[in-house]
Amino acid sequence: MTFLRATAEQWTGLTEAVLHADGREAVAFALCGVARRDRVTYVVRDIIALDDDAYLERAPDRVTWRTSAIVPILDRAAREHLTVMKVHGHPGGYDRFSELDDASDTSLAASVASWCNDAPYLSVIMLPGGQVVARAYDGGSIQPLDGVDVVGDDLVYYTRADHGTTPDFAQRIEQVFGKRTLSLLRTLRIAVVGCSGTGSIVIEQLARNCVGELILVDPDVIEEKNLNRIINATREDAERKRPKVEMLAAAIERMGLGTRVEPLAIDLFTPAAVRAVSSADIVFGCVDTVDARHLLNQLCSFYVLPYFDLGVKLEADGAGGVEQVCGSVHYLRPGGGSLLTRRMYTLDAVQAAALRRTDPVEYAARLREKYIRGVNEDRPAVISVNMLIASLAVNDFLARVHPYRHESSSAYAIQRVSLSHDIYVHEADATTCQVVGRNLGRGDVTPLLNLAELSE
Ligand SMILES: [Zn+2]
């Protein structure tokens, strides 16, 4: 399977570059990173429009340009190990590649292969009204793309396969969202990182909403202290020290709704976990350390993924005095604001958490000498609050896949709840992040995410 993913801004930029009001064809290029897994996903890094004087001809049914115009594009693709993608418009609505397109693509694919060390080449046609036709030239074969995903405030999926007839267990979902959205849910692959208090409840909801594939990442085993809040966990699981992801995979299997699960009982800070999570279409972060949050935020920028971050905070004195019960759901779209720009943590806090994970002795010493601020452990938690925040996150996801809210999805970048202070607010976020955003669309690099810790 082969997919292409872009941000909504990039997609709008490409649309404006190739579909002109004058009704004549135009062309633009993009450079893409790639994630090569069991499926291949190209992710857009940068868009390069053609200057007006680079065109030789712009007609309603054909477009040609000076070959010299693409030399700098091929140069940069070779230097930065990126894939070249050509996008052109068919303003007349012709919904397939023409013979002229075939000739042009064959010759461009050959140039790209010889210039860029046998790199693949992508060709996309945009039609008025938002339809897309796309194909990839890779290692001698030409494949139509199985999906073109556009990640913005809303999540738009083009050309995904129809999933056929609706089973009885999905009828009520179809009554809400219709056949198209139900079918889409059944093609999605979602990674949930952290499978405990909020994660297990997110997973339950995604599986019962017929999501096609789930990748579950959590290295921990079930302990008796978790039994108050991990859905489906039993005393026997705790006694057997069963990995959380295995217990959840078995529970989803017992549901019998056809969701495929990849349980990974490994730490997020491993190449295998990063590879698996970056093969997904969507990421939910249900983790409680800032370094894991920061890693996921960066991963989602490298691979142009939508990221839902869940957080719950209960402040209590341990003797029955409850000061605060609150939580938040952050939706982070690639190219937009980050958890850093939203002041959820500082880079110092990320470093302190990383030290605690990688060198607990040194961490303890610095904590004693008050060089760093401590990380909270074993915080108070109850399932009723976790369920509320997990439901907010899953409903936010559904509203972005199938917009049903009165307000635009952009108004829900941050949702905050305080049960103790009677607050539910949602806010937009118009910021961008230099730290996280500079790696947008880079895809696979060595080491992964440019992190020495992930060297193989
Ligand atoms: Zn064409």
Side-chain angles (χ1 to χ4, degrees):
M1 301 265 269
T2 309
F3 295 87
L4 168 67
R5 195 158 54 232
T7 69
E9 282 92 346
Q10 290 169 335
W11 202 249
T12 304
L14 285 170
T15 310
E16 287 170 358
V18 305
L19 286 173
H20 291 233
D22 64 9
R24 296 185 296 155
E25 288 196 7
V27 66
F29 290 87
L31 292 170
C32 303
V34 64
R36 281 189 188 276
R37 311 283 182 269
D38 59 320
R39 35 152 89 173
V40 178
T41 308
Y42 295 96
V43 291
V44 175
R45 171 136 178 85
D46 231 338
I47 294 170
I48 301 155
L50 269 198
D51 291 336
D52 286 343
D53 58 9
Y55 287 104
L56 295 170
E57 183 188 16
R58 282 187 60 221
D61 60 350
R62 83 185 73 98
V63 59
T64 53
W65 62 91
R66 287 176 219 287
T67 38
S68 59
I70 69 155
V71 169
I73 300 171
L74 291 175
D75 260 342
R76 189 176 154 204
R79 209 168 49 240
E80 299 181 25
H81 306 289
L82 297 167
T83 299
V84 175
M85 174 166 94
K86 183 189 87 179
V87 184
H88 76 291
H90 279 181
Y94 187 64
D95 64 354
R96 69 202 74 167
F97 289 96
S98 68
E99 280 176 29
L100 273 170
D101 292 337
D102 289 344
S104 155
D105 282 344
T106 305
S107 126
L108 248 175
S111 304
V112 170
S114 69
W115 208 293
C116 309
N117 204 10
D118 288 331
Y121 160 76
L122 304 176
S123 180
V124 174
I125 304 171
M126 288 180 152
L127 308 177
Q131 221 187 318
V132 189
V133 189
R135 62 185 176 185
Y137 289 65
D138 191 2
S141 78
I142 306 170
Q143 293 291 337
L145 297 194
D146 299 284
V148 177
D149 306 349
V150 179
V151 181
D153 292 312
D154 291 317
L155 301 171
V156 182
Y157 298 89
Y158 295 104
T159 72
R160 292 240 175 184
D162 182 14
H163 220 283
T165 54
T166 303
D168 280 357
F169 60 76
Q171 268 179 15
R172 303 302 174 95
I173 304 170
E174 187 180 307
Q175 282 173 13
V176 179
F177 295 121
K179 208 175 188 59
R180 207 186 124 104
T181 297
L182 173 67
S183 182
L184 168 67
L185 289 168
R186 296 177 78 193
T187 70
L188 288 179
R189 176 185 287 185
I190 300 184
V192 182
V193 181
C195 301
S196 212
T198 49
S200 66
I201 301 158
V202 165
I203 291 159
E204 177 86 8
Q205 295 177 76
L206 295 177
R208 290 202 190 271
N209 277 307
C210 300
V211 165
E213 292 177 70
L214 292 172
I215 295 170
L216 311 182
V217 180
D218 194 316
D220 293 336
V221 299
I222 295 164
E223 298 176 71
E224 193 176 324
K225 68 179 183 185
N226 305 137
L227 295 181
N228 74 320
R229 64 190 186 282
I230 299 185
I231 204 157
N232 291 309
T234 63
R235 171 166 293 281
E236 195 197 334
D237 295 324
E239 281 163 3
R240 285 176 47 203
K241 297 187 170 40
R242 202 169 177 200
K244 291 172 181 172
V245 292
E246 258 177 41
M247 180 280 291
L248 288 162
I252 294 166
E253 177 75 17
R254 283 199 305 276
M255 271 182 214
L257 309 190
T259 300
R260 289 184 300 283
V261 187
E262 187 182 355
L264 292 171
I266 54 175
D267 195 273
L268 173 62
F269 287 83
T270 55
V274 167
R275 274 182 199 288
V277 173
S278 56
S279 79
D281 303 311
I282 292 164
V283 178
F284 280 79
C286 305
V287 292
D288 54 8
T289 57
V290 295
D291 54 339
R293 287 202 152 97
H294 191 55
L295 182 100
L296 288 174
N297 204 167
Q298 286 177 296
L299 182 153
C300 290
S301 184
F302 269 87
Y303 294 98
V304 191
L305 285 162
Y307 173 36
F308 295 87
D309 174 273
L310 289 75
V312 174
K313 192 157 117 190
L314 273 73
E315 284 176 16
D317 64 10
V322 179
E323 276 156 40
Q324 216 186 132
V325 179
C326 56
S328 61
V329 175
H330 284 258
Y331 173 69
L332 298 133
R333 54 181 179 81
S338 70
L339 292 171
L340 271 178
T341 58
R342 295 181 188 179
R343 298 176 198 283
M344 291 296 286
Y345 48 71
T346 61
L347 284 175
D348 283 345
V350 172
Q351 277 165 10
L355 187 66
R356 173 172 172 265
R357 178 167 48 77
T358 55
D359 190 350
V361 176
E362 176 66 16
Y363 170 79
R366 291 206 201 166
L367 200 57
R368 269 196 310 277
E369 291 156 19
K370 294 193 167 46
Y371 281 124
I372 51 175
R373 285 178 60 183
V375 178
N376 289 330
E377 290 176 71
D378 275 345
R379 283 181 287 213
V382 289
I383 191 169
S384 51
V385 181
N386 290 337
M387 279 206 166
L388 177 67
I389 298 303
S391 295
L392 274 179
V394 174
N395 283 309
D396 188 41
F397 151 67
L398 290 170
R400 290 178 194 279
V401 169
H402 188 107
Y404 61 79
R405 295 183 283 220
H406 285 288
E407 255 179 293
S408 147
S409 292
S410 64
Y412 294 84
I414 308 168
Q415 296 184 81
R416 297 180 211 278
V417 180
S418 170
L419 295 178
S420 51
H421 294 67
D422 195 22
I423 296 167
Y424 168 72
V425 289
H426 58 86
E427 307 162 26
D429 173 20
T431 65
T432 55
C433 178
Q434 298 303 318
V435 175
V436 171
R438 68 170 173 243
N439 291 314
L440 180 69
R442 289 184 69 189
D444 290 340
V445 295
T446 311
L448 287 165
L449 307 181
N450 250 354
L451 287 177
E453 196 179 347
L454 295 172
S455 299
E456 288 168 274

